[in-house]
């Protein structure tokens, strides 16, 4: 553990921020966990237009055993969560073929996979037709239309950030039943046009799912060893109330406050490795993308500020690489939106996030506070993080690794069961 003057309290906040009252008292309070329960059976709704399994096979054929974030631009491939989950559910031990025995029903509809496949084939109208057909099929499904009265909970997966992927008709049908969405970040409900879509409320209360992690960051379970260094992978030019700029200032102060010891620091301005091919960014480069994955494997602590929304794929990249994630949050947004460090993190009933992450609210422009944050960071870097690293990597492999989709599917079903029980009561 770091020295006491660097790590003053149970909350993993900086020395300056721990003395300050700017943040709410519950900022680092982990979510309450439900008591253990018998895992319920689920039914996979895959009749007629609700059966997207042929489409999933076509997507897997397109991938040809390659990672999605190499075949598609990273900003699209990181959301291709539907194929692995639905394929795992098809052979899951909790699945029942008797619809009346199940209190949880999963819709075998893959909107994001459908959209990506239609784009690749140059047939955008095919996706719209598939979603309209799914809406008609769902409207005629009697057990869905009576789902609220019967206490059945329906689960719909949604890759990507936009509710428009579902189509207006399908959204309206979903909103009429007892439905919970599964998506990578429920706070997307408040971004852009999503807050005017028919299924806005469903996204706002969705079950959070992990992103697909970096193809080249994944590390085998036995691959742990000595680590050194701090890294950040991504762009520094985001408008996030100065959070990334303060992170940059802290990292640049590390060499000064750690003159007695060498702490390698990598502030990697590497948006181009995400495949954002615009006039201001370079085209996707596989070798550079692979280099960023290797950097994750070498670093001890990986910085994880919020992305466009509260969550970030960097969290799962770090865990897959056996690197300790450091969650950085803006005190302004935490207080304005009533959020905590644990908001929008997946599977809170399965993963003890407080045990596998470090958490920091970067201080403002005061040099003393920036130095205090840098010393706090160096203190953690110089401490033994091997146990936290192993626990984080183990949790990733068990609950968040899409190459082990049954673990992701089981964690999703557990969260859905808790929702179903709460709604029924």
């Amino acid at each position: 553990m770091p020295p006491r003057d660097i790590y003053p309290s149970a909350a993993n906040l900086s020395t300056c921020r721990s003395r300050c009252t700017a943040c709410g008292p519950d900022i680092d309070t982990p979510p309450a966990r439900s008591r253990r329960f018998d895992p319920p059976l689920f039914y996979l709704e895959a009749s007629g237009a609700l059966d997207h399994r042929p489409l999933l096979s076509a997507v897997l054929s397109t991938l040809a055993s390659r990672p999605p974030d190499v075949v598609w631009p990273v900003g699209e491939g990181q959301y291709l969560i539907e194929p692995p989950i639905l394929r795992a559910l098809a052979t899951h031990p909790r699945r029942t073929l008797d619809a009346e025995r199940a209190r949880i029903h999963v819709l075998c509809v893959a909107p994001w996979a459908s959209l990506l496949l239609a784009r690749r084939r140059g047939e955008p109208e095919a996706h719209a037709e598939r979603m309209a057909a799914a809406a008609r099929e769902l409207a005629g499904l009697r057990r869905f239309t009576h789902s609220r009265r019967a206490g059945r909970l329906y689960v719909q997966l949604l890759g990507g950030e936009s509710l428009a992927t579902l189509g207006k008709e399908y959204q309206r049908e979903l909103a009429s039943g007892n439905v919970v969405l599964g998506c990578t970040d429920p706070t997307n409900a408040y971004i852009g046009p999503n807050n005017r879509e028919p299924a806005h409320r469903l996204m706002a209360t969705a079950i959070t799912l992990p992103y697909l992690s970096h193809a080249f960051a994944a590390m085998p379970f036995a691959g742990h060893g000595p680590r050194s260094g701090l890294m950040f992978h991504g762009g520094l030019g985001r408008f996030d109330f100065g959070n990334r700029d303060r992170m940059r200032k802290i990292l640049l102060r590390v060499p000064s406050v750690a003159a007695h010891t060498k702490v390698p620091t990598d502030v990697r301005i590497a948006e181009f490795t995400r495949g954002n091919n615009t006039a201001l960014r370079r085209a996707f480069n596989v070798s550079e993308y692979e280099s960023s994955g290797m950097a994750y494997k070498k670093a001890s602590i990986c910085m994880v500020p919020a992305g466009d929304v509260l969550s970030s794929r960097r969290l799962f990249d770090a865990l897959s690489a056996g690197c300790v994630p450091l969650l950085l949050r803006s005190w302004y947004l935490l207080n304005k939106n009533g959020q905590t460090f644990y908001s929008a993190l997946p599977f809170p009933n399965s993963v003890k996030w407080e045990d596998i992450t470090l958490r920091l609210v970067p201080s403002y422009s005061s040099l003393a506070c920036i130095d205090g944050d840098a010393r706090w960071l160096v203190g953690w870097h110089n401490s033994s993080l091997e146990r936290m690293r192993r626990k984080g990597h183990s949790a990733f492999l068990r609950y968040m690794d899409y190459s082990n989709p049954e673990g992701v599917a089981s964690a999703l079903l557990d969260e859905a069961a808790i929702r179903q029980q709460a709604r029924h009561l």
Side-chain angles (χ1 to χ4, degrees), residues 31-325:
R33 293 182 174 84
S34 298
R35 285 180 286 183
R36 293 195 175 275
F37 55 91
D38 293 329
L41 298 175
F42 77 95
Y43 181 77
L44 190 63
E45 292 284 3
S47 59
L50 298 177
D51 187 2
H52 278 193
R53 285 175 294 186
L55 181 149
L56 301 180
S57 297
V59 169
L60 292 173
S61 177
T62 301
L63 292 174
S65 300
R66 295 169 296 172
D69 52 342
V70 173
V71 177
W72 271 283
V74 179
E76 295 179 351
Q78 66 185 359
Y79 297 119
L80 200 57
I81 60 176
E82 301 148 350
I85 294 179
L86 290 174
R87 285 175 66 88
L89 290 173
T91 57
H92 199 280
R94 295 192 212 167
R95 182 185 177 189
T96 177
L97 300 179
D98 183 354
E100 298 305 316
R101 293 184 62 197
R103 311 309 298 169
I104 296 173
H105 293 239
V106 181
L107 293 158
C108 194
V109 178
W112 185 245
S114 171
L115 178 63
L116 291 190
L117 191 64
R119 286 176 179 173
R120 173 148 298 218
R121 292 175 171 177
E123 304 170 345
E125 68 285 350
H127 168 66
E129 291 170 3
R130 279 192 287 264
M131 299 314 299
R136 293 191 294 270
E137 187 79 30
L138 194 60
L141 191 62
R142 184 176 176 83
R143 57 177 169 266
F144 174 78
T145 57
H146 291 87
S147 58
R148 293 184 187 276
R149 186 187 312 165
R152 296 190 185 95
L153 181 65
Y154 276 73
V155 179
Q156 170 63 59
L157 305 178
L158 174 62
E161 301 175 342
S162 175
L163 281 167
T165 307
L166 294 167
K168 297 282 188 185
E169 295 175 71
Y170 193 58
Q171 284 189 64
R172 292 190 185 99
E173 290 303 326
L174 290 174
S176 69
N178 191 28
V179 174
V180 63
L181 285 184
C183 65
T184 51
D185 195 326
T187 59
N188 269 309
Y190 308 103
I191 301 298
N194 281 339
N195 59 11
R196 297 186 295 276
E197 293 285 346
H200 164 259
R201 292 183 183 274
L202 294 182
M203 178 172 271
T205 57
I207 295 171
T208 307
L209 299 174
Y211 288 73
L212 273 131
S213 61
H214 197 303
F216 299 107
M219 184 183 66
F221 188 78
H224 294 272
R227 294 292 189 95
S228 180
L230 313 169
M231 76 160 286
F232 167 69
H233 175 59
L236 294 171
R238 300 286 183 87
F239 177 72
D240 56 0
F241 296 90
N243 203 37
R244 295 190 190 203
D245 183 56
R246 291 193 287 276
M247 176 192 70
R248 181 185 64 84
K249 290 178 180 177
I250 292 168
L251 290 175
L252 292 176
R253 291 295 296 171
V254 164
S256 299
V257 303
H260 60 287
T261 180
K262 182 176 176 57
V263 181
T265 305
D266 183 2
V267 184
R268 186 175 295 266
I269 305 174
E271 281 284 1
F272 55 85
T273 66
R274 297 185 54 193
N276 293 313
N277 190 7
T278 69
L280 299 177
R281 295 167 182 161
R282 292 162 54 189
F284 178 71
N285 184 296
V286 174
S287 63
E288 289 173 335
Y289 190 49
E290 187 172 0
S291 296
S292 66
M294 296 303 295
Y296 274 113
K297 293 180 180 180
K298 294 177 181 177
S300 175
I301 297 175
C302 300
M303 317 300 282
V304 184
D308 293 327
V309 285
L310 194 59
S311 65
S312 166
R313 196 194 69 156
R314 280 176 288 269
L315 171 61
F316 309 102
D317 295 348
L319 290 171
S320 74
C323 185
V324 174

Side-chain angles (χ1 to χ4, degrees), residues 37 85 89 92 94 104 207-210 346-351 395-396 398-401 404-419:
F37 55 91
I85 294 179
L89 290 173
H92 199 280
R94 295 192 212 167
I104 296 173
I207 295 171
T208 307
L209 299 174
F347 309 145
N349 282 280
S350 301
V351 181
F396 173 81
R398 185 172 180 182
Y399 301 113
M400 294 170 272
D401 184 5
N404 170 35
E406 185 175 316
V408 182
S410 295
L412 168 64
L413 291 172
D414 286 346
E415 296 294 332
I418 291 166
R419 298 285 187 96

